[in-house]
Amino acid sequence: MDYVLLIEQLLNGFQLGIILFLMAAGLTLVFGIMDLVNLAHGSLFMIGAFVGGTLTLVTDSLVLGAVLMVPAMFAIGVLVETIALRTLYRRSHLDQVLATFGLILFFNEATRLIWGPEGLAVPLPDFLEGTVALGAGITYPLYRVVIIVIGLLVALGLYLLVARTRFGMLVRAGASNREMAGALGVNIPVLFSLVFGIGAVLAGLAGLIITPITQAAIGMGEDVLILAFVVIVIGGIGSVRGAFVAALLTGIIDTMGRSFLDVVLLLFLPPNAAESAGPALSSMLIYILMAGILFFRPQGLFPPRGATAAP
Amino acid sequence: MLEVRRVNAFYGDSQVLFDMNLAVSSGEVVTLLGRNGMGKTTTVRTIMGIVRTRSGTITLNGTRIDHLPSHAIARAGIGLVPEGRQIFPNLSVRENLIATARTPSRGGPGWTFERVIELFPAVGTRLASAGNQLSGGEQQMLAIGRALLTNPLLMILDEATEGLAPLVRQEIWACLGSLKKAGQAVLVIDKNVEMLAGLADLHHIVEKGRVVWKGTSAELRADRSLQLRYLGV
Amino acid sequence: MKSQLTPAHAVSALLIALCAAVPYLASALDEPFYVIVFARIMIWAIAAISLNLIMGFGGMISFGHAVYLGIGGYAVGILAFHDITSAWIQLPAAIGLCALVALVFGVICLRTRGIYFIMITLALAQMVFFLSVSAERYGSDDGLNILWRSDFGSGIVDLEDGAVMYYTIFAVLMGCLFLQWRMVVSRFGMVLRASQSNETRVQAVGIPTYRYRLAAFVIAGVMCGLAGFLQANLERFVSPDMMNWHRSGELILMTVLGGTATLFGPLVGAVVFLLLSEMLSTITIHWHLLFGPFLILVVLFARGGVMGLLGSRTTRD
Amino acid sequence: KIGFVTTLTTPAAVIGRDMRDAVELALEHIGGRMGPETVEVIYGDDEFNAQKGKQATERLILRDDVDLVAGYIWSNVLLASAPVVLSAGKILISANAGPAPLAGRRCHENFFNISWQNDQTPMALGELLNQEGIRSLYIVAPNYVAGQNMVAGVERVFTGEVVGKDMTVWPSQRDWSAELSKIKAAGPEGVFMFYPGPAGPAFVKQYQQAGLIETIPLFSVYTFDSISLPLFQEAGIEAVLGGKMTQFWAPDMQNEQNRKFVTAFQTKYGRYPSFYAAQSYDSMFFIKSAVEAVGGNVQDVDGMRAALRKAEFPSVRGKFRMGSNHFPVQNFYERTVVVDADGNWTTSAGPVVLEDHQDPYAGQCEMGG
Amino acid sequence: MTERPRELHLEARGLNKRFGGLQAAADLSMRARHGEVHAVIGPNGAGKTTLVHMLSGFLRPDSGSIVFGGDDITSLPAPGRVQRGLARSFQITSVFRDFTVLENVVLPVQARQGHSFRFWRSAMRDPSLTGPARVLLEEVGLGDRAATLAGHLAHGEQRQLEIAVALATNPSFLLLDEPMAGMGPEENRALIDFLGGLKETHGMLLIEHDLDAVFALADRITVLVYGRAIASGRPDEIRQNSQVRTAYLGEALV
Ligand SMILES: Nc1ncnc2c1ncn2[C@@H]1O[C@H](COP(=O)(O)OP(=O)(O)OP(=O)(O)O)[C@@H](O)[C@H]1O
Ligand SMILES: Nc1ncnc2c1ncn2[C@@H]1O[C@H](COP(=O)(O)OP(=O)(O)OP(=O)(O)O)[C@@H](O)[C@H]1O
Ligand SMILES: [Mg+2]
Ligand SMILES: [Mg+2]
């Protein structure tokens, strides 16, 4: 096999993984740690793309747009949390599903009203255009390299925040036993708003970052959301490290499936069958991956601490 | 310091506390005694703002706290060792201790991580384990340590010796004794009347959500019929 | 034990009466369209009931439940495609296939709990979904048109007759409601509900929970497959979309909207969900702007869905 | 009363909007009347979903009691909905979707298509590729029926070698990094891609970012239209200028009806009409011709059908006729992306690639009556 | 119900269990006889609950075997052990919080009647289930709480329910993990009497920190420290054992 292609595909998978990670990281904070099933996390991805995209177009700079998007998304996140979700923490997951589904409908329609059905295209600044040579005959789009770098930095920062700081401890404490954390002096409502805001920023960042590649479209977050759920489940819920590993794994496997599955299938199947089985199988691949991992490790790759205690 | 006056509290429609009265002065060790299901824990939960009063007032050092949210009450200076331990299962033992730690508001040395470990060496050996991997007794010690580290004005211990080995239980009584000596105010709920009588300044017997008797250790010891009637001892 | 008459009961009774009367009302008011609307609603209600059985009473939140709608439907579609229209072949095929698939999926899924369960059911359903998308022979994602409805022979149940079709669905719905009720209050239901709240404890009293949960999973799969069978017949059309994850999501939504772990919640949920979208969507194409907040308000102000709002607690005989 | 089913919600609503705008424009131009009757058009939203489309159709037939149904962007929606209309004995006119079954085995006397059969445009493109001398081709298309049809159409006519083919997940996949890397590695002389709606510009953008647009020419059907070109222009992807495709129509086709249509559309909506709009506009005049032929007696389905078969109405594409299977027999032109006088990007019709072309399924159609 | 051998001994043979670096059971052997109360005491974290988990089938020992009534049950899953008559209670209260008190007890009663694949008859209207359940609730002193939701009981009442649930499976051998914890003095005494009465017909493994209860009930005591049995014998032997006193009892209780 062509090693240039192989490496390029690995990079592609890596880059997809990074986007998934940004989504999954927010989810794992909000769902894994605060135990809130937020289907509207996908909407935040979309809103990030539209709001960030608009800011980019207004300021005529992607960098400025991204910088301005951070406080904007944070504010939106906190607002959504305060208005709609705050009282839902103590409710069942199913109630949360229903309410946040309502949010999805609302946000999608609101976005359509504000930006129109055609979505939003965000140009890439000239200095991010083009490809870079990575040596050994590999050239790779510069912007995708930038995505990978940003994602790695965010991953590191987030890991430190959650695992190493008191903030992270308090969030985890509040999530596992709200009442008790409150009785020990933790201001849970404020803390959770903060976390939700951070989750919103991460989702928004993912949305904006991908927009110069895919453009912003209404409902763009929903399929990504499912993938992000797959990721956090594979990684082990509540684990930022798990989300990172699983996101990369998912990204790479998905990409590898899309690139090489047809070739592999040709080894076993007649061309006709391979041609029709290929796309089906490659779309199933990550689900097969997830089912397989859960079958052997029902708690994901990095089970959250405390989940394995004796009954 | 803490004053609970004519507090009524409900779970849904069923009233659990009826004109509950209670006071703890600084430096005092005060108990709540009573049989199962009489409302001791509910009193504590009401003080902490987890259960809301329907009427009556609760003040801490003269300021009303009954309408504050839980976390504000805790920050006002109450440290809770809850019934049933309530360790954070997903935090390590070390994190359980330091996550909610606060420096003493009065200044002075107060409780530090090191001092708590010294008090409970068994906890000290498991610092990296997840909270819920500890044995029942270890969790109990952890819960006490966690409350101490908030350096409260008033400690509330709700059945803090449940499930502890006799040796450890003795240690906790000793610890309470030294807390008392250090001038720490304590509100304690426990089944062990014998020990409490040797330790506390003032006792309250709770029956069906009311304080039906209040008195000193000597008075409590003296009145066998009282003990039999309300405590089944 | 005690059965008080709550508004929830009244509303449920009224709904059932309404379902029974729709064909007459529709022809009286000259609104034939609503016959199909209600037939469709009832089919969704059957599927939602089946989901409620495992999700509401057993704590198994399946995010792939629509897969049985699809399997039940395709059993009809594919057999009809091969000119086998006899219901006596199609129906057993649908039921058998759903039971088999549910059994296999159950064995895999029941190793996991909580969100892991949710996601693994989704994953398995997605596999079947993509399988159907790639089945070029059977129309891929264009689906299959069904020219003739299932033929029960002998002319007693002639599904080609609209009214017969309607009342067949109605009868199945009533049957499923009844079955759900009996199952929930029976010993089996006790075990199922107990496992939801504390599975370790159930095992500690000597009950191997796994087989009960698995049995419930299979029963729910078959019941939902029945809904798929009916849907294929009603619509004369099957497509992979029947088992798209959106459909599974909608099933969950309907059940929760109506009230999980209540007997009539799924029916109420299906009616409210589908009728309201039907009505709102004729008012404005931006109806999601109203429907979304409506769902949120239901959650915020009505614990336990619409049934909760009407004063029904979870079912206990 | 005419029912018109299209997509009004979901991202695909951009197409639905163009179609509806065109229908409204047509109604304006005919003064809201067909023969003696006033026309009312009731829109149904298929929500980009076959089931929902079918339900919308039922609503139109059963509740709104329309006399005739038109519209339909998506093949699967049309296939699911067609039996509803046809079994009610009413006439159905597709303004876009042209799936093979309805052109062939399952053709119906009351079904008409006013756009094209799915295979035709890509066949024309295959021919164009041959004419351009492309000998090795890489194909990327979404894995759904229309996508498969497009690919099949190209492959049927293209005489060179297909060196690679990727069928991607529809409609969710929006990032083609893996496919682009494969294309780069395969090094074909040309790439054929098909992505309707907003996915198209995204693909081209990535194609450019991957540095491919200068080296490997990109061919497409349907992708460069007046819906996507403003997006290209906004994003500054100049590389699409000069891009070639095939189609039965272009905004600058010179006939009276088209000039009227395009100018009016531009004045009213401030943008170029897409081919979806053109077809929808045509469909109204098509219906009008039939209604007038039966003197407004729309119950006379036989009469209407006969008139529709004649297809005597002014079409924006100039001349065409109805084939035996009720699909158009028409010319397909080369179409190039150009800058118009005002600096807007649009497409311009070139030479005929396929003349009076009939789809390959017509032979399978045995229409009763 | 199957006929059980009259003499049901529970025996642990060389059990080992590690949690990461921590040895929670180290070559642990013991034998509890039918008709006796065998107490296990030891400092917190000694591995007592772990032992119960292993004996009841909730944890698999790393090595060693468990024999009950003459059969090796090491690989038998938890429900199977209960069906053979080996029931347990939980140190950390584990009842069905959203069931009523009565329902909590009906479930184990139905479990002992065999399989629950009965789909028709209403369980709560079946006197063969509710009858024994109510009797049992009276016995443990929760008779008037039958209709309350278990989650709404006070802590001590939940502890009583916990025992009732274990007893409702009609066990021949009981594994009791700190049954007295959280109960008031009076309830405590009642429970001691109650368990004392069961002694005739049941075997019992009792884990308890309440030494009054231990010395009142136990016929035999094993002392665990760091997963190891450091002493085993009659109560008076244990009381005198100096090793036990330094490790566990302390000076208060001599
Ligand atoms: N969440 C609740 N909902 C309804 N009733 C409750 C709830 N919690 C406790 N109760 C009831 O309130 C009463 C008092 O309970 P509380 O827990 O305060 O008792 P307690 O004195 O602490 O008893 P114990 O010594 O057993 O811990 C009991 O009758 C109990 O059943
Ligand atoms: N799942 C687990 N993972 C890791 N360590 C565990 C686990 N379960 C128990 N342990 C550890 O094993 C040791 C024995 O625990 P166990 O619960 O058996 O103690 P115990 O004797 O019952 O104590 P107590 O009297 O306090 O209840 C403890 O140190 C505990 O922290
Ligand atoms: Mg209490
Ligand atoms: Mg223990």
Side-chain angles (χ1 to χ4, degrees), chain D residues 129-144:
Chain D
L129 289 170
N130 293 339
Q131 289 172 9
E132 299 266 321
I134 304 283
R135 283 183 315 276
S136 66
L137 185 69
Y138 201 105
I139 295 176
V140 193
N143 191 26
Y144 76 115

mmCIF file with all atom_site columns, all heavy atoms in Angstrom, chain D residues 129-144:
data_model
loop_
_atom_site.group_PDB
_atom_site.id
_atom_site.type_symbol
_atom_site.label_atom_id
_atom_site.label_alt_id
_atom_site.label_comp_id
_atom_site.label_asym_id
_atom_site.label_entity_id
_atom_site.label_seq_id
_atom_site.pdbx_PDB_ins_code
_atom_site.Cartn_x
_atom_site.Cartn_y
_atom_site.Cartn_z
_atom_site.occupancy
_atom_site.B_iso_or_equiv
_atom_site.pdbx_formal_charge
_atom_site.auth_seq_id
_atom_site.auth_comp_id
_atom_site.auth_asym_id
_atom_site.auth_atom_id
_atom_site.pdbx_PDB_model_num
ATOM 1   N N   . LEU D 1 129 ? -17.515 14.033 -21.040 1.00 0.00 ? 129 LEU D N   1
ATOM 2   C CA  . LEU D 1 129 ? -16.192 13.565 -20.639 1.00 0.00 ? 129 LEU D CA  1
ATOM 3   C C   . LEU D 1 129 ? -15.489 12.929 -21.836 1.00 0.00 ? 129 LEU D C   1
ATOM 4   O O   . LEU D 1 129 ? -14.307 13.163 -22.085 1.00 0.00 ? 129 LEU D O   1
ATOM 5   C CB  . LEU D 1 129 ? -16.297 12.550 -19.496 1.00 0.00 ? 129 LEU D CB  1
ATOM 6   C CG  . LEU D 1 129 ? -16.711 13.097 -18.137 1.00 0.00 ? 129 LEU D CG  1
ATOM 7   C CD1 . LEU D 1 129 ? -17.013 11.961 -17.166 1.00 0.00 ? 129 LEU D CD1 1
ATOM 8   C CD2 . LEU D 1 129 ? -15.611 13.983 -17.568 1.00 0.00 ? 129 LEU D CD2 1
ATOM 9   N N   . ASN D 1 130 ? -16.231 12.127 -22.549 1.00 0.00 ? 130 ASN D N   1
ATOM 10  C CA  . ASN D 1 130 ? -15.642 11.494 -23.737 1.00 0.00 ? 130 ASN D CA  1
ATOM 11  C C   . ASN D 1 130 ? -15.169 12.547 -24.718 1.00 0.00 ? 130 ASN D C   1
ATOM 12  O O   . ASN D 1 130 ? -14.062 12.465 -25.246 1.00 0.00 ? 130 ASN D O   1
ATOM 13  C CB  . ASN D 1 130 ? -16.667 10.580 -24.419 1.00 0.00 ? 130 ASN D CB  1
ATOM 14  C CG  . ASN D 1 130 ? -17.004 9.384  -23.549 1.00 0.00 ? 130 ASN D CG  1
ATOM 15  O OD1 . ASN D 1 130 ? -16.233 9.032  -22.661 1.00 0.00 ? 130 ASN D OD1 1
ATOM 16  N ND2 . ASN D 1 130 ? -18.152 8.769  -23.808 1.00 0.00 ? 130 ASN D ND2 1
ATOM 17  N N   . GLN D 1 131 ? -16.019 13.563 -24.898 1.00 0.00 ? 131 GLN D N   1
ATOM 18  C CA  . GLN D 1 131 ? -15.661 14.615 -25.851 1.00 0.00 ? 131 GLN D CA  1
ATOM 19  C C   . GLN D 1 131 ? -14.428 15.369 -25.401 1.00 0.00 ? 131 GLN D C   1
ATOM 20  O O   . GLN D 1 131 ? -13.608 15.796 -26.201 1.00 0.00 ? 131 GLN D O   1
ATOM 21  C CB  . GLN D 1 131 ? -16.835 15.597 -26.012 1.00 0.00 ? 131 GLN D CB  1
ATOM 22  C CG  . GLN D 1 131 ? -18.010 15.006 -26.775 1.00 0.00 ? 131 GLN D CG  1
ATOM 23  C CD  . GLN D 1 131 ? -19.212 15.936 -26.749 1.00 0.00 ? 131 GLN D CD  1
ATOM 24  O OE1 . GLN D 1 131 ? -19.114 17.080 -26.314 1.00 0.00 ? 131 GLN D OE1 1
ATOM 25  N NE2 . GLN D 1 131 ? -20.359 15.433 -27.217 1.00 0.00 ? 131 GLN D NE2 1
ATOM 26  N N   . GLU D 1 132 ? -14.299 15.557 -24.075 1.00 0.00 ? 132 GLU D N   1
ATOM 27  C CA  . GLU D 1 132 ? -13.158 16.303 -23.553 1.00 0.00 ? 132 GLU D CA  1
ATOM 28  C C   . GLU D 1 132 ? -11.889 15.455 -23.545 1.00 0.00 ? 132 GLU D C   1
ATOM 29  O O   . GLU D 1 132 ? -10.826 15.929 -23.189 1.00 0.00 ? 132 GLU D O   1
ATOM 30  C CB  . GLU D 1 132 ? -13.436 16.774 -22.127 1.00 0.00 ? 132 GLU D CB  1
ATOM 31  C CG  . GLU D 1 132 ? -14.631 17.698 -22.019 1.00 0.00 ? 132 GLU D CG  1
ATOM 32  C CD  . GLU D 1 132 ? -14.242 19.179 -22.078 1.00 0.00 ? 132 GLU D CD  1
ATOM 33  O OE1 . GLU D 1 132 ? -13.206 19.521 -21.481 1.00 0.00 ? 132 GLU D OE1 1
ATOM 34  O OE2 . GLU D 1 132 ? -14.963 19.948 -22.721 1.00 0.00 ? 132 GLU D OE2 1
ATOM 35  N N   . GLY D 1 133 ? -12.028 14.196 -23.851 1.00 0.00 ? 133 GLY D N   1
ATOM 36  C CA  . GLY D 1 133 ? -10.861 13.327 -23.932 1.00 0.00 ? 133 GLY D CA  1
ATOM 37  C C   . GLY D 1 133 ? -10.351 12.842 -22.590 1.00 0.00 ? 133 GLY D C   1
ATOM 38  O O   . GLY D 1 133 ? -9.177  12.555 -22.416 1.00 0.00 ? 133 GLY D O   1
ATOM 39  N N   . ILE D 1 134 ? -11.218 12.812 -21.584 1.00 0.00 ? 134 ILE D N   1
ATOM 40  C CA  . ILE D 1 134 ? -10.819 12.283 -20.274 1.00 0.00 ? 134 ILE D CA  1
ATOM 41  C C   . ILE D 1 134 ? -10.789 10.760 -20.363 1.00 0.00 ? 134 ILE D C   1
ATOM 42  O O   . ILE D 1 134 ? -11.755 10.135 -20.773 1.00 0.00 ? 134 ILE D O   1
ATOM 43  C CB  . ILE D 1 134 ? -11.837 12.704 -19.198 1.00 0.00 ? 134 ILE D CB  1
ATOM 44  C CG1 . ILE D 1 134 ? -12.013 14.224 -19.164 1.00 0.00 ? 134 ILE D CG1 1
ATOM 45  C CG2 . ILE D 1 134 ? -11.431 12.136 -17.844 1.00 0.00 ? 134 ILE D CG2 1
ATOM 46  C CD1 . ILE D 1 134 ? -10.913 14.967 -18.497 1.00 0.00 ? 134 ILE D CD1 1
ATOM 47  N N   . ARG D 1 135 ? -9.670  10.163 -19.953 1.00 0.00 ? 135 ARG D N   1
ATOM 48  C CA  . ARG D 1 135 ? -9.594  8.716  -20.065 1.00 0.00 ? 135 ARG D CA  1
ATOM 49  C C   . ARG D 1 135 ? -9.612  7.992  -18.717 1.00 0.00 ? 135 ARG D C   1
ATOM 50  O O   . ARG D 1 135 ? -9.919  6.821  -18.634 1.00 0.00 ? 135 ARG D O   1
ATOM 51  C CB  . ARG D 1 135 ? -8.359  8.310  -20.880 1.00 0.00 ? 135 ARG D CB  1
ATOM 52  C CG  . ARG D 1 135 ? -8.549  8.514  -22.370 1.00 0.00 ? 135 ARG D CG  1
ATOM 53  C CD  . ARG D 1 135 ? -7.346  8.043  -23.150 1.00 0.00 ? 135 ARG D CD  1
ATOM 54  N NE  . ARG D 1 135 ? -6.106  8.487  -22.533 1.00 0.00 ? 135 ARG D NE  1
ATOM 55  C CZ  . ARG D 1 135 ? -5.550  9.676  -22.730 1.00 0.00 ? 135 ARG D CZ  1
ATOM 56  N NH1 . ARG D 1 135 ? -6.119  10.539 -23.550 1.00 0.00 ? 135 ARG D NH1 1
ATOM 57  N NH2 . ARG D 1 135 ? -4.425  10.000 -22.138 1.00 0.00 ? 135 ARG D NH2 1
ATOM 58  N N   . SER D 1 136 ? -9.228  8.699  -17.662 1.00 0.00 ? 136 SER D N   1
ATOM 59  C CA  . SER D 1 136 ? -9.341  8.037  -16.355 1.00 0.00 ? 136 SER D CA  1
ATOM 60  C C   . SER D 1 136 ? -10.123 8.949  -15.413 1.00 0.00 ? 136 SER D C   1
ATOM 61  O O   . SER D 1 136 ? -9.880  10.148 -15.335 1.00 0.00 ? 136 SER D O   1
ATOM 62  C CB  . SER D 1 136 ? -7.962  7.721  -15.779 1.00 0.00 ? 136 SER D CB  1
ATOM 63  O OG  . SER D 1 136 ? -7.269  8.906  -15.494 1.00 0.00 ? 136 SER D OG  1
ATOM 64  N N   . LEU D 1 137 ? -11.055 8.341  -14.711 1.00 0.00 ? 137 LEU D N   1
ATOM 65  C CA  . LEU D 1 137 ? -12.022 9.134  -13.949 1.00 0.00 ? 137 LEU D CA  1
ATOM 66  C C   . LEU D 1 137 ? -12.138 8.600  -12.521 1.00 0.00 ? 137 LEU D C   1
ATOM 67  O O   . LEU D 1 137 ? -12.125 7.392  -12.288 1.00 0.00 ? 137 LEU D O   1
ATOM 68  C CB  . LEU D 1 137 ? -13.391 9.054  -14.641 1.00 0.00 ? 137 LEU D CB  1
ATOM 69  C CG  . LEU D 1 137 ? -14.513 9.910  -14.063 1.00 0.00 ? 137 LEU D CG  1
ATOM 70  C CD1 . LEU D 1 137 ? -14.222 11.381 -14.319 1.00 0.00 ? 137 LEU D CD1 1
ATOM 71  C CD2 . LEU D 1 137 ? -15.848 9.520  -14.677 1.00 0.00 ? 137 LEU D CD2 1
ATOM 72  N N   . TYR D 1 138 ? -12.270 9.539  -11.598 1.00 0.00 ? 138 TYR D N   1
ATOM 73  C CA  . TYR D 1 138 ? -12.554 9.168  -10.196 1.00 0.00 ? 138 TYR D CA  1
ATOM 74  C C   . TYR D 1 138 ? -13.947 9.684  -9.861  1.00 0.00 ? 138 TYR D C   1
ATOM 75  O O   . TYR D 1 138 ? -14.302 10.809 -10.211 1.00 0.00 ? 138 TYR D O   1
ATOM 76  C CB  . TYR D 1 138 ? -11.519 9.790  -9.261  1.00 0.00 ? 138 TYR D CB  1
ATOM 77  C CG  . TYR D 1 138 ? -11.424 9.091  -7.922  1.00 0.00 ? 138 TYR D CG  1
ATOM 78  C CD1 . TYR D 1 138 ? -10.353 8.253  -7.623  1.00 0.00 ? 138 TYR D CD1 1
ATOM 79  C CD2 . TYR D 1 138 ? -12.419 9.253  -6.954  1.00 0.00 ? 138 TYR D CD2 1
ATOM 80  C CE1 . TYR D 1 138 ? -10.267 7.598  -6.411  1.00 0.00 ? 138 TYR D CE1 1
ATOM 81  C CE2 . TYR D 1 138 ? -12.342 8.604  -5.737  1.00 0.00 ? 138 TYR D CE2 1
ATOM 82  C CZ  . TYR D 1 138 ? -11.262 7.778  -5.471  1.00 0.00 ? 138 TYR D CZ  1
ATOM 83  O OH  . TYR D 1 138 ? -11.171 7.124  -4.273  1.00 0.00 ? 138 TYR D OH  1
ATOM 84  N N   . ILE D 1 139 ? -14.746 8.848  -9.195  1.00 0.00 ? 139 ILE D N   1
ATOM 85  C CA  . ILE D 1 139 ? -16.135 9.225  -8.942  1.00 0.00 ? 139 ILE D CA  1
ATOM 86  C C   . ILE D 1 139 ? -16.385 9.348  -7.443  1.00 0.00 ? 139 ILE D C   1
ATOM 87  O O   . ILE D 1 139 ? -15.997 8.477  -6.663  1.00 0.00 ? 139 ILE D O   1
ATOM 88  C CB  . ILE D 1 139 ? -17.089 8.168  -9.533  1.00 0.00 ? 139 ILE D CB  1
ATOM 89  C CG1 . ILE D 1 139 ? -16.943 8.154  -11.056 1.00 0.00 ? 139 ILE D CG1 1
ATOM 90  C CG2 . ILE D 1 139 ? -18.531 8.445  -9.125  1.00 0.00 ? 139 ILE D CG2 1
ATOM 91  C CD1 . ILE D 1 139 ? -17.764 7.093  -11.726 1.00 0.00 ? 139 ILE D CD1 1
ATOM 92  N N   . VAL D 1 140 ? -17.012 10.447 -7.036  1.00 0.00 ? 140 VAL D N   1
ATOM 93  C CA  . VAL D 1 140 ? -17.444 10.611 -5.641  1.00 0.00 ? 140 VAL D CA  1
ATOM 94  C C   . VAL D 1 140 ? -18.903 11.030 -5.655  1.00 0.00 ? 140 VAL D C   1
ATOM 95  O O   . VAL D 1 140 ? -19.269 11.997 -6.331  1.00 0.00 ? 140 VAL D O   1
ATOM 96  C CB  . VAL D 1 140 ? -16.644 11.691 -4.901  1.00 0.00 ? 140 VAL D CB  1
ATOM 97  C CG1 . VAL D 1 140 ? -16.896 11.587 -3.401  1.00 0.00 ? 140 VAL D CG1 1
ATOM 98  C CG2 . VAL D 1 140 ? -15.176 11.567 -5.190  1.00 0.00 ? 140 VAL D CG2 1
ATOM 99  N N   . ALA D 1 141 ? -19.729 10.301 -4.936  1.00 0.00 ? 141 ALA D N   1
ATOM 100 C CA  . ALA D 1 141 ? -21.145 10.654 -4.896  1.00 0.00 ? 141 ALA D CA  1
ATOM 101 C C   . ALA D 1 141 ? -21.749 10.110 -3.618  1.00 0.00 ? 141 ALA D C   1
ATOM 102 O O   . ALA D 1 141 ? -21.204 9.199  -2.997  1.00 0.00 ? 141 ALA D O   1
ATOM 103 C CB  . ALA D 1 141 ? -21.870 10.067 -6.120  1.00 0.00 ? 141 ALA D CB  1
ATOM 104 N N   . PRO D 1 142 ? -22.882 10.682 -3.212  1.00 0.00 ? 142 PRO D N   1
ATOM 105 C CA  . PRO D 1 142 ? -23.511 10.181 -1.994  1.00 0.00 ? 142 PRO D CA  1
ATOM 106 C C   . PRO D 1 142 ? -24.202 8.849  -2.236  1.00 0.00 ? 142 PRO D C   1
ATOM 107 O O   . PRO D 1 142 ? -24.701 8.590  -3.329  1.00 0.00 ? 142 PRO D O   1
ATOM 108 C CB  . PRO D 1 142 ? -24.530 11.268 -1.650  1.00 0.00 ? 142 PRO D CB  1
ATOM 109 C CG  . PRO D 1 142 ? -24.815 11.945 -2.940  1.00 0.00 ? 142 PRO D CG  1
ATOM 110 C CD  . PRO D 1 142 ? -23.593 11.829 -3.777  1.00 0.00 ? 142 PRO D CD  1
ATOM 111 N N   . ASN D 1 143 ? -24.220 8.063  -1.200  1.00 0.00 ? 143 ASN D N   1
ATOM 112 C CA  . ASN D 1 143 ? -24.771 6.719  -1.322  1.00 0.00 ? 143 ASN D CA  1
ATOM 113 C C   . ASN D 1 143 ? -26.274 6.719  -1.066  1.00 0.00 ? 143 ASN D C   1
ATOM 114 O O   . ASN D 1 143 ? -26.743 6.255  -0.058  1.00 0.00 ? 143 ASN D O   1
ATOM 115 C CB  . ASN D 1 143 ? -24.049 5.807  -0.315  1.00 0.00 ? 143 ASN D CB  1
ATOM 116 C CG  . ASN D 1 143 ? -24.377 4.351  -0.557  1.00 0.00 ? 143 ASN D CG  1
ATOM 117 O OD1 . ASN D 1 143 ? -24.704 3.969  -1.677  1.00 0.00 ? 143 ASN D OD1 1
ATOM 118 N ND2 . ASN D 1 143 ? -24.314 3.547  0.489   1.00 0.00 ? 143 ASN D ND2 1
ATOM 119 N N   . TYR D 1 144 ? -27.007 7.288  -2.019  1.00 0.00 ? 144 TYR D N   1
ATOM 120 C CA  . TYR D 1 144 ? -28.455 7.112  -1.991  1.00 0.00 ? 144 TYR D CA  1
ATOM 121 C C   . TYR D 1 144 ? -28.898 6.949  -3.426  1.00 0.00 ? 144 TYR D C   1
ATOM 122 O O   . TYR D 1 144 ? -28.089 7.046  -4.349  1.00 0.00 ? 144 TYR D O   1
ATOM 123 C CB  . TYR D 1 144 ? -29.162 8.247  -1.252  1.00 0.00 ? 144 TYR D CB  1
ATOM 124 C CG  . TYR D 1 144 ? -29.293 9.552  -1.994  1.00 0.00 ? 144 TYR D CG  1
ATOM 125 C CD1 . TYR D 1 144 ? -30.543 10.035 -2.345  1.00 0.00 ? 144 TYR D CD1 1
ATOM 126 C CD2 . TYR D 1 144 ? -28.185 10.316 -2.325  1.00 0.00 ? 144 TYR D CD2 1
ATOM 127 C CE1 . TYR D 1 144 ? -30.694 11.240 -3.012  1.00 0.00 ? 144 TYR D CE1 1
ATOM 128 C CE2 . TYR D 1 144 ? -28.323 11.513 -2.981  1.00 0.00 ? 144 TYR D CE2 1
ATOM 129 C CZ  . TYR D 1 144 ? -29.576 11.978 -3.328  1.00 0.00 ? 144 TYR D CZ  1
ATOM 130 O OH  . TYR D 1 144 ? -29.719 13.160 -3.981  1.00 0.00 ? 144 TYR D OH  1
#
